[in-house]
Amino acid sequence: MNKHGDRIAQLREKHALTQEELANKLGISRAALSHYETSRREPDFETMNKIATFFKVSADYLLGRTTNPHAVLDEDVRDFVNSLELSDDKILEKFALSVDGRKLTADEAKRFIAFVRAERSMSE
């Protein structure tokens, strides 16, 4: 489950902003914001950073890594999360990997990993 959409919508509503108002403040379209809030699309890094900065919350909160809007992950924990080896079956079982808001099945995740490996081998 992608929490960023729910979190963005909750923060917008908490600040009594319409989608149009927030989109204008962030410099994005209302349609893009709507897609982010419904988790049909994921904001890029720059947009996620703008949202976190605007609402004065951590990116870790927007990403669902913490329930505390002002907490950031300890550097060691962040390094661990950022360096997870996706081809490890235990990782695939414990974490819900998703694309476009839909959880990948184990077979989809393995095909994705195989695709990345093939792409890398072609560029070497």
Side-chain angles (χ1 to χ4, degrees):
M1 174 181 149
N2 285 334
K3 294 185 183 212
H4 70 270
D6 292 335
R7 297 250 166 109
I8 294 167
Q10 288 169 355
L11 287 165
R12 178 181 59 76
E13 291 167 3
K14 178 180 175 184
H15 287 83
L17 294 168
T18 65
Q19 284 185 336
E20 188 73 33
E21 290 168 331
L22 179 57
N24 287 337
K25 290 178 185 298
L26 297 173
I28 61 175
S29 71
R30 190 214 50 81
L33 179 60
S34 175
H35 287 301
Y36 300 152
E37 288 187 1
T38 57
S39 296
R40 283 182 292 206
R41 282 185 24 202
E42 293 190 18
D44 60 23
F45 175 80
E46 181 182 341
T47 303
M48 189 69 85
N49 192 38
K50 284 181 184 179
I51 295 167
T53 300
F54 179 81
F55 288 118
K56 296 178 177 66
V57 298
S58 72
D60 288 327
Y61 173 75
L62 287 179
L63 293 170
R65 293 177 171 173
T66 178
T67 57
N68 180 340
H70 305 292
V72 290
L73 291 180
D74 175 86
E75 193 171 325
D76 290 336
V77 174
R78 181 178 291 121
D79 288 345
F80 168 74
V81 170
N82 289 336
S83 66
L84 292 173
E85 175 59 49
L86 293 182
S87 61
D88 183 340
D89 286 336
K90 290 178 184 173
I91 297 298
L92 290 175
E93 290 172 14
K94 283 190 173 220
F95 294 96
L97 304 175
S98 63
V99 173
D100 299 329
R102 293 178 48 205
K103 185 178 181 216
L104 294 178
T105 65
D107 286 339
E108 288 173 327
K110 289 177 182 175
R111 287 196 312 268
F112 175 75
I113 292 165
F115 173 78
V116 170
R117 285 180 176 150
E119 285 282 308
R120 286 179 177 172
S121 68
M122 291 174 60
S123 64
E124 292 176 349

